[in-house]
Amino acid sequence: MTPAQHDAIEVIIAKRGGAALTDSQIDWVIDAYTRGVVADEQMSALAMAILLNGMTRPEIARWTAAMIASGERMAFDGLPLPTADKHSTGGVGDKITLPLAPLVAACGVAVPQLSGRGLGHTGGTLDKLESIPGWRATLSNDEMFAQLRDVGAVICAAGDGLAPADKKLYALRDVTGTVEAIPLIASSIMSKKIAEGTGSLVLDVKVGTGAFMKTLADAQELARTMVDLGTDAGVTTVALLTDMSTPLGLTAGNAIEVAESVEVLAGGGPADVVELTLALAREMLRGAGREHVDPADVLASGKAMDVWNAMIRAQGGDPVAALPVARESHVVAAPSSGVLTGLDAMAVGLAAWRLGAGRARKEDPVQAGAGVVWHARPGDTVTAGQPLLTLLTDDESRFERALASLDGGYDIAPTGTAFEPTPLLLDRIG
Ligand code: URA
């Protein structure tokens, strides 16, 4: 059915005045924006009005439905296995999808994981995987289905047909200061996840300096909004709220995060990465009705590594090939002895980005070997002069700005100072 006619100025003025938009206004504006009838400058004004004045729950639900209707819907009904997916709202050193997808598949649940690229200081799963020689991110729907059936897990780029309204709107928000609006983040994420057709969904909502949501209260509101949208659409949805004031693991970059993920699959890796991978795996298994399987046992058995190897090979990659290494490195030594009491996720994320691990514009290439390795985590004792961080890049001129972003990004307190770690898992909603 063709949406009723409205005009962009009427819709902008309504939201600017604090009114709730009608279903018909929402359907029209999303459809007209996707077709290019509503101009980018009009949609940016509307996005800013939404950021400033908010949206009611019914408006958010309708906005999400209109974004889903802007494109195709996928379905995995023909698969013999239940499906589960997870989505992170974005963080620093967040490589969890890499060990998680093959682990959950090894537990008997199919994982159709449509992922994105990094933008700004947050990393992107596809950029990380593209550092594996030969690996390709783009699959047809038929290839995706076949890989899910044969291997159990697929991590790939969302096709152009999935929620095209979100693709346009997300790019616009990124350059108009309108990313951090809860209604717009919730509808952006959930339109893609509902259109993707997963049976169950686990959301990893990040909280802290390195996340879009800086406070627990904002993260709880975002999580609640997304869980409601998923549940209303028939997708079993739960959210874990997890700390992003400290970056995850010991690496932020592309190839170096792949290497750390492979360590986890081999039974090692940093304790926080293992803890979060297992916590999210348990939630995904519960959502898919497989709560009797213990992912820790499956991880220890090596079966998740087998799925990883098969998953990488199925997409043209060589899982045993050497990963790219940055040409230049620079070590930051601990300036004093004592206890590392803080390592700021935003500072590390910005440094990795400036070293070339991320991009400033969507079209920019990323460096596979670039990033930051930290040699101590908050709570560890450090000695003056020991390596604290290693900065990696192909381009020496990048060190100066990366070092500037790390200025004030870590704290060392005198030896013996009591240290209270922030828990990784902060809340569960769903
Ligand atoms: N991830 C998305 O896909 N959309 C947002 O708006 C924020 C994070």
Side-chain angles (χ1 to χ4, degrees):
M1 201 175 71
T2 315
Q5 278 302 310
H6 292 276
D7 71 67
I9 302 167
E10 159 217 324
V11 180
I12 296 165
I13 290 174
K15 186 45 77 182
R16 189 189 70 189
L21 301 180
T22 64
D23 289 355
S24 153
Q25 284 174 319
I26 291 173
D27 292 352
W28 179 82
V29 83
I30 294 287
D31 177 65
Y33 179 58
T34 311
R35 291 186 291 112
V37 171
V38 167
D40 275 348
E41 57 270 26
Q42 294 175 313
M43 194 50 137
S44 10
L46 181 57
M48 186 57 82
I50 292 170
L51 182 136
L52 295 173
N53 291 332
M55 273 182 154
T56 62
R57 284 292 160 86
E59 278 181 288
I60 300 173
R62 189 71 181 205
W63 187 272
T64 306
M67 297 228 286
I68 295 169
S70 73
E72 63 176 340
R73 282 189 84 149
M74 297 174 73
F76 299 111
D77 302 342
L79 278 181
L81 298 174
T83 50
D85 190 6
K86 87 100 197 180
H87 186 90
S88 157
T89 56
V92 179
D94 184 2
K95 69 273 301 167
I96 302 294
T97 295
L98 275 53
L100 180 66
L103 172 59
V104 173
C107 295
V109 173
V111 186
Q113 177 80 55
L114 298 180
S115 296
R117 294 178 191 286
L119 198 69
H121 75 283
T122 63
T125 299
L126 300 181
D127 295 328
K128 299 178 216 271
L129 284 168
E130 274 175 348
S131 65
I132 300 173
W135 187 87
R136 79 193 153 93
T138 308
L139 298 182
S140 68
N141 289 358
D142 286 348
E143 284 173 320
M144 189 179 171
F145 191 89
Q147 187 173 326
L148 271 179
R149 186 193 54 214
D150 300 340
V151 179
V154 60
I155 304 175
C156 65
D160 287 342
L162 203 85
D166 177 63
K167 281 203 179 64
K168 275 188 89 174
L169 182 55
Y170 189 77
L172 186 73
R173 286 165 55 213
D174 196 47
V175 292
T176 54
T178 50
V179 171
E180 287 92 347
I182 288 177
L184 297 178
I185 297 179
S187 55
S188 164
I189 292 174
M190 294 309 293
S191 62
K192 286 174 287 205
K193 292 292 149 181
I194 295 167
E196 169 199 288
T198 184
S200 62
L201 174 65
V202 178
L203 298 160
D204 181 2
V205 180
K206 300 288 186 198
V207 192
T209 56
F212 288 131
M213 297 292 113
K214 310 290 181 204
T215 67
L216 188 60
D218 282 349
Q220 282 164 330
E221 186 186 337
L222 175 61
R224 173 52 56 208
T225 308
M226 291 196 290
V227 168
D228 288 350
L229 286 171
T231 308
D232 290 350
V235 181
T236 309
T237 309
V238 66
L240 292 186
L241 276 67
T242 69
D243 178 58
M244 189 34 70
S245 53
T246 301
L248 271 170
L250 293 169
T251 57
N254 296 310
I256 52 178
E257 290 199 43
V258 171
E260 192 174 282
S261 305
V262 172
E263 278 174 34
V264 172
L265 288 163
D272 60 336
V273 178
V274 177
E275 180 188 345
L276 187 51
T277 303
L278 290 176
L280 290 164
R282 287 196 178 97
E283 293 292 350
M284 288 170 78
L285 293 173
R286 184 177 305 148
R290 295 277 157 101
E291 55 274 42
H292 53 280
V293 182
D294 184 351
D297 291 344
V298 176
L299 186 61
S301 74
K303 285 189 196 134
M305 180 71 101
D306 295 342
V307 176
W308 164 264
N309 287 333
M311 183 181 91
I312 298 302
R313 282 205 183 92
Q315 288 172 247
D318 179 352
V320 292
L323 291 166
V325 176
R327 280 196 287 274
E328 311 289 340
S329 64
H330 177 96
V331 173
V332 177
S336 58
S337 296
V339 182
L340 184 70
T341 51
L343 179 63
D344 183 67
M346 181 56 111
V348 172
L350 276 179
W353 179 33
R354 290 178 174 177
L355 289 165
R359 50 173 72 72
R361 291 171 308 160
K362 267 195 159 35
E363 348 24 277
D364 291 347
V366 297
Q367 292 181 24
V372 180
V373 180
W374 46 107
H375 305 285
R377 289 195 49 83
D380 289 350
T381 300
V382 297
T383 308
Q386 79 161 73
L388 190 60
L389 301 150
T390 301
L391 278 48
L392 301 164
T393 180
D394 291 335
D395 171 6
E396 231 182 333
S397 68
R398 290 176 176 260
F399 284 132
E400 192 179 334
R401 291 194 68 226
L403 285 166
S405 60
L406 287 166
D407 207 17
Y410 50 88
D411 299 303
I412 299 174
T415 308
T417 305
F419 172 74
E420 195 55 52
T422 311
L424 184 56
L425 303 179
L426 301 170
D427 199 0
R428 178 184 188 278
I429 292 180

